[in-house]
Amino acid sequence: MTHHDPGLTRRTALKGVAGLVIGFHLSLPAHGQSGSARPSGTDGVSAPFAPNAFIRIGTDDLVTVLIKHIEFGQGPFTGLATLAAEELDADWAQMRAEHAPSNLALYKNFLLGMQGTGGSSAIANSYDQMRKAGAAARAMLVRAAADRWNVAPSEIVVERGVLRHRATGREGRFGQFAEAAARLPVPDDAPLKEPASFRLIGREGAVKKLDVPEKTNGKAQFAIDNDAPAMLTVVVARPPRFGSKVASFDAAAARSIAGVADVKQLPTGIAVYAKGMWPALKGREALRIAWDDTAAEKRSSEQMIEDYRTLARTPGMTAAARGDVEAALAKAGKIIEAEFVFPYLAHAPMEPLDGFLQWDGQRARARFGCQLQTGDHNMIAAVLGLPLDRVEIETMLAGGSFGRRGQADSHLAAELAQAAKAIGPGHPIKLMWTREDDIRGGYYRPLYLHRLRGAVSGGKIVAWADRVVGQSIVKGTPYESMIIKDGIDPLSVEGASHIPYDIADFRCELHTTETAVPVLSWRSVGLTHSGYAVECFVDELLQAAGKDPVAGRLEMPGKSPRVAGVLRAVAALAGWSGPGPVDKRARGVAVVEAFGTYVAQIAEVSADGSGSPRVHKVWCAVDCGVAVNPDVIRAQMQGGIGFGLGHALFAEITIEAGRALQGNFDTYRSLRIDEMPEIEVAIVPSAEKPTGVGEPGVPPIGPAVANAMAALGLPRPRRLPMVRGTG
Amino acid sequence: MAAVQIKVNGQSHTVDVLPDTPLLWVLRDYLRLTGTKFGCGMAQCGACTVFFDGQPLRSCSMPVSGVGASEITTIEGLAGREADAVKTAWIAHDVPQCGYCQSGQIMSATALLKQIKRPSDRDIDLAMNGNLCRCATYVRIRSAIHDAAKLLEG
């Protein structure tokens, strides 16, 4: 067996290398980290400085930043290392990043209340914390150099990883002072730079992404690349219908396949253990399983849509209300109505779910693309009956997530531990989901329906009513009591209960539905449907009011000038002069706020002979506060547009008699390179606190395309995907 | 089980596997060449792309018994002027996001530049259309291929 180079984690590079480790005391409880804890800021973003387990500087002069947010392409390795390097005055070439271990006391996400990644929170959450960590490390290095050179610390300057004392001509690199610095107390008041003196934050071309080189030569290590002596690959036969269970099974034929080591029943299905993926798959195919469908979902998604449509005709729970919308609608005379239908969607990250677990009965070590460490850690410990401190999670690079790995019920961690437990200690396992397991396996963006009613009068939108119908992604999870208030899941109505426009008579209601189909957050969460419904409907009302889509939006004084800011910026970037069409191409606009980041997009669209849209170009303006890594922001806007567009155009999970019809990329159609539009991105300059960019690029593209189709004289698509039945 | 001999990255290997084992799983599970990724198992996504006598091939859909004396090249063994130019351009453009599909993208891009010195956008569409990227890094893949072509000219 070959044991692979740990690649990006660089653990080997640090072996035996002494040096400065800022507050890196994993065995101590939180209050023991240092005496320098500061109270949290009142804005919910500022973090206490201590414990600060984020920076290691070796005598080899490498600076390793421990990243508490998982890297799956959205850029936290580079972003958080940038923050620390800025305050350290490090040279970018000496910076490294690795995932932090699972440790709630040290690595809590202050916005989520646990260790985990979600809600586009990495930069927002870590902006102060990582800068303070860098500033403290810098102060300690300066102090160590001052002591050695016998000069005042204030006379030492630090530039690109070099400490200098000009008067005496002495200089040295971080590595030379790492050991001495490690013996000094951690300061709690190291000053932070003024933004004007930033050298890395917000500077074009100042950093290159840390994870890129190993993602171009095959060396980057993902969970699927785990290997260990005597490791067994595990695949699980799960129920074909949502809500079914195993009634009985016969594993004789499976066991007879060369390479199959064992077959066990798990709570989720029947697990086949084999020496490698191929015998595991063949073994699974040879299983004979009788399923108990008593509790199974029997409906089709078409039936659910009919049920939701009926519900949408009845009052729901009030999520937001201002004025008297029924009176305003009655007064206006003409009511404009629209019903929008959104299908179940799979996340389909390129790397299907997978994980590695090694267990000797006393201690367990899991290695996988872990997105919610605290919940997954608790789950593995509970399943194996071990205390938390005997379970270690090593977070690995993940081949995408889009929400799929952020499981409130920790179902992957549970299945991983159950598979290890079923075969007993001493058998390292690698659990693998195939693409079909992934696409048919549920945990979808829920099916949603919005029924909107509105009215215009005197060139203005005077009434707006939205009834939202769909499953809650929180109900039934450990987070239900934390998030659901008075029966309303705010994630079901985000972007619908508060819209960027002031309309005096306004109402948003919610019907929360139940099905046996498990659902989950999906990149940009509630805005995946609300963003579309709201931005299509506002466009339709503005059209009825005879307004230009950009000017009309700008005339409605919203609560945030930043909405207007990105609208103006995108209009300038695109040279907006109305929706057209010009030469058979029309333009549509949409603006959505997601997680405190504002994004406006304009799409230029033509239609083919069958009326299907072809998107040629997209202009995008983003305001995410202080832009830490401009090129990462551009990349996330480009990728978010491609992701949002692919799903709006093509993607749908259809349920028939409780099973998903789609199973792979032949039927669950994904955007390909020839369908990707040209994209221009403008980053609106801002001194506001930085917010995330992983999700906010997604919501505006669908409605921007729909609004362009309306300008082409085609119907504004009210059911997604726009191009159906092509899978 | 059967002993099968294959040549990968210039080295001959004998593996004892079920003869219908796809080349992908031989590379990953037996030869420990894990740069080649599993994405779909049915030649829909291109994450498993390798060279088969210099031509791009979806290794998930080729049984190892069908490889015979053909030479297989994986991302670990990818070398040469075109490959170097592609990797350089990929890094210059910071193309990868999650990175999982990128071995396959780089194999397909290198194959394209070996065939067409100065590919048009249409050539890129045709050559790269079988490689899915769920992060949608396509804008940068396209720019990086154009830049790699320029590097090769220069």
Side-chain angles (χ1 to χ4, degrees), chain A residues 1-2 4 71-74 207-209 211-213 215-222 224-225 227 233 257-259 275-279 281-282 346-352 354 398-400 402 430 432-436 522-523 631-632 634-636 638-640 642-643 647 664-666 668-674 676-679, chain B residues 1 17-22 24-26 28-47 58 60 75-78 83 86-103 105-106 121-122 124-143 145:
Chain A
M1 295 271 173
T2 311
H4 297 285
E71 173 65 77
F72 39 47
Q74 82 286 32
V207 309
K208 294 295 291 174
K209 276 166 68 178
D211 51 338
V212 159
K215 287 178 175 176
T216 60
N217 59 20
K219 285 185 181 161
Q221 293 285 291
F222 299 86
I224 196 173
D225 304 326
D227 191 17
T233 300
I257 287 167
K275 294 176 185 125
M277 185 66 165
W278 191 243
L281 288 175
K282 294 193 74 150
H347 309 71
M350 284 308 299
E351 181 186 20
D354 47 11
F402 317 118
K430 179 162 70 177
M432 300 269 292
W433 286 45
T434 61
R435 179 59 58 201
E436 288 79 7
W522 192 96
R523 193 176 185 182
D631 200 48
V632 171
R634 272 192 293 274
Q636 285 307 299
Q638 293 164 347
F643 188 82
H647 291 88
N664 209 314
F665 291 123
D666 55 340
Y668 192 67
R669 188 172 161 193
S670 187
L671 194 84
R672 293 181 183 272
I673 193 169
D674 54 311
M676 184 76 180
E678 195 188 324
I679 296 174
Chain B
M1 303 288 263
V17 294
L18 296 166
D20 59 350
T21 305
L24 169 67
W25 299 113
V26 172
R28 292 188 53 84
D29 286 350
Y30 298 87
L31 304 183
R32 316 291 173 201
L33 292 168
T34 57
T36 306
K37 296 299 194 241
F38 164 71
C40 70
M42 58 186 297
Q44 288 289 315
C45 79
R58 312 299 183 216
C60 71
I75 186 78
E76 290 89 349
L78 185 67
V86 167
K87 288 185 207 172
T88 302
W90 243 244
I91 290 170
H93 286 260
D94 269 348
V95 172
Q97 289 188 23
C98 87
Y100 191 81
C101 73
Q102 297 294 342
S103 294
Q105 305 281 2
I106 286 167
D121 280 333
R122 177 83 185 131
I124 293 173
D125 283 348
L126 291 172
M128 303 302 293
N129 173 285
N131 288 83
L132 281 183
C133 174
R134 293 285 290 169
C135 303
T137 61
Y138 300 126
V139 168
R140 289 173 192 237
I141 288 173
R142 186 182 301 282
S143 323
I145 292 173

Side-chain angles (χ1 to χ4, degrees), chain A residues 643-661:
Chain A
F643 188 82
L645 179 61
H647 291 88
L649 288 177
F650 307 127
E652 171 171 36
I653 296 290
T654 319
I655 310 288
E656 281 270 347
R659 41 173 112 207
L661 292 189

